[in-house]
Amino acid sequence: MRIGQLAKLVGVDVQTIRFYEREGLLVSPERQQNGYRIYTQQHVERLAFVRRCRMLNLSLAEIGELQGYLDEPHQPCTAVNGMLDGRIAHVRAQINSLQALEKQLVALRTRCSGVHEAADCGILTGISAETR
Amino acid sequence: MRIGQLAKLVGVDVQTIRFYEREGLLVSPERQQNGYRIYTQQHVERLAFVRRCRMLNLSLAEIGELQGYLDEPHQPCTAVNGMLDGRIAHVRAQINSLQALEKQLVALRTRCSGVHEAADCGILTGISAETR
DNA sequence: TCTTTACCCTATAACCATTATAGGGTTTCC
DNA sequence: GGAAACCCTATAATGGTTATAGGGTAAAGA
Ligand SMILES: [Zn+2]
Ligand SMILES: [Zn+2]
Ligand SMILES: [Zn+2]
Ligand SMILES: [Zn+2]
């Protein structure tokens, strides 16, 4: 299978596949005589794994770590669930700070209603004041 | 006031101040004979404005737009509250997708408990399966 | 005065994951 | 045989900062 087919199949851009290869997340595939990359079912599975990890917001470095476990399955999985715990904590922190931000933005938004000129806009004066 | 003082005063890195100047968010200050930048109270206020906008997650482009209103206050503020509405919608969308992600991660995390080897780790098999 | 320490300058690269662009070859189908 | 769709590499751009290299200046103590 050529790169375009793989891209469609897994739902990843062609450029991104080449990028993953350079970054060591995908094994370099064989090449045809013309230089075209030829992929196997194993590549499909690995790429799908990478993509699912990305959808879980794992970094490429973390994904590389996880692949180490796929490649050497006879080691304890301690670091795997540690990584997930870290991710979960991080996502929760993000949610909290975004919720705080939402409150600030909504409060700021209420300061402007109706049409008036910028000099009198409560949003601008609100930001210029303090927004702590 | 020199750049280091300004940086401390407003709580922004020195590099970042120079970056904002290059990006046109801060007016280029006068220079001493030795080339050092000399800032006035107006610069302090503008930088503080930029920083508060950044804390509201506004992009540098949006901040530049807002500064246009500060500089020309006799125009309607329509775009100002439009921008804020857009930001609020964006933040809410982010929160929703992070909450969905959190659920996925937590569900995945429950698949691993106790010490075992990677081949049997429910997290890895969970990702390898489908995690939709 | 000498020297250390802290500060200032510019230019350039790194961060992250991806997307875009330039410039050129190959395959496929009509 | 010619156009469309595909493939290749290399390099730059995205956003907002932070880091680094390499060098000049200033404020302080010894
Ligand atoms: Zn074993
Ligand atoms: Zn208004
Ligand atoms: Zn007016
Ligand atoms: Zn496990």
Side-chain angles (χ1 to χ4, degrees):
Chain A
M1 154 185 336
R2 299 198 310 206
I3 197 168
Q5 269 180 282
L6 176 62
K8 246 182 220 156
L9 197 60
V10 182
V12 174
D13 193 273
V14 166
Q15 309 258 49
T16 306
I17 294 173
R18 292 194 275 246
F19 169 71
Y20 287 162
E21 182 183 337
R22 274 203 305 285
E23 295 295 306
L25 269 90
L26 289 179
V27 175
S28 296
E30 300 289 315
R31 302 281 188 130
Q32 282 179 174
Q33 289 165 337
N34 55 18
Y36 288 14
R37 291 169 176 82
I38 296 301
Y39 293 97
T40 67
Q41 189 57 30
Q42 293 194 342
H43 288 100
V44 176
E45 278 153 28
R46 268 301 159 94
L47 181 57
F49 180 84
V50 171
R51 198 182 78 107
R52 287 187 214 112
C53 288
R54 288 296 300 131
M55 295 196 328
L56 296 171
N57 255 13
L58 301 182
S59 71
L60 299 190
E62 287 171 327
I63 296 170
E65 229 182 292
L66 287 187
Q67 288 189 335
Y69 288 95
L70 292 183
D71 292 332
E72 292 195 31
H74 296 287
Q75 42 180 331
C77 67
T78 330
V80 175
N81 51 48
M83 176 187 302
L84 223 57
D85 287 339
R87 277 287 113 196
I88 291 169
H90 186 233
V91 168
R92 286 183 176 151
Q94 274 186 295
I95 290 172
N96 284 338
S97 90
L98 282 175
Q99 282 172 338
L101 177 62
E102 185 197 356
K103 262 188 201 159
Q104 281 191 11
L105 289 174
V106 168
L108 203 52
R109 181 63 180 84
T110 64
R111 300 179 56 126
C112 169
S113 60
V115 177
H116 46 254
E117 59 183 39
D120 308 322
C121 183
I123 293 176
L124 288 173
T125 60
I127 299 176
S128 294
E130 221 143 340
T131 317
R132 238 174 290 159
Chain B
M1 156 185 335
R2 299 199 309 207
I3 197 169
Q5 270 180 280
L6 176 62
K8 247 181 218 155
L9 197 60
V10 181
V12 174
D13 194 273
V14 166
Q15 309 259 50
T16 306
I17 294 174
R18 291 194 275 246
F19 170 72
Y20 287 162
E21 183 183 337
R22 273 203 304 285
E23 295 296 306
L25 270 88
L26 289 179
V27 176
S28 297
E30 300 289 316
R31 301 281 186 128
Q32 283 180 171
Q33 289 164 335
N34 55 18
Y36 288 14
R37 290 169 177 82
I38 296 301
Y39 293 97
T40 68
Q41 188 58 32
Q42 294 193 340
H43 288 100
V44 177
E45 278 152 28
R46 267 301 159 94
L47 181 57
F49 180 83
V50 171
R51 198 181 77 105
R52 286 187 214 111
C53 288
R54 287 296 300 134
M55 295 195 329
L56 296 171
N57 256 13
L58 301 182
S59 71
L60 299 190
E62 287 170 328
I63 296 170
E65 229 181 293
L66 288 186
Q67 288 189 336
Y69 288 94
L70 292 183
D71 291 334
E72 292 196 30
H74 295 287
Q75 42 180 329
C77 66
T78 328
V80 176
N81 51 47
M83 178 187 302
L84 223 56
D85 287 339
R87 276 288 113 196
I88 291 170
H90 187 232
V91 168
R92 286 183 175 151
Q94 272 186 294
I95 290 172
N96 284 339
S97 90
L98 283 175
Q99 282 172 338
L101 177 61
E102 185 197 356
K103 262 188 201 159
Q104 282 191 11
L105 289 174
V106 168
L108 202 52
R109 181 64 180 85
T110 64
R111 299 178 58 124
C112 169
S113 59
V115 177
H116 46 254
E117 57 183 41
D120 308 322
C121 184
I123 293 177
L124 288 172
T125 60
I127 299 176
S128 294
E130 223 145 339
T131 317
R132 237 174 290 158

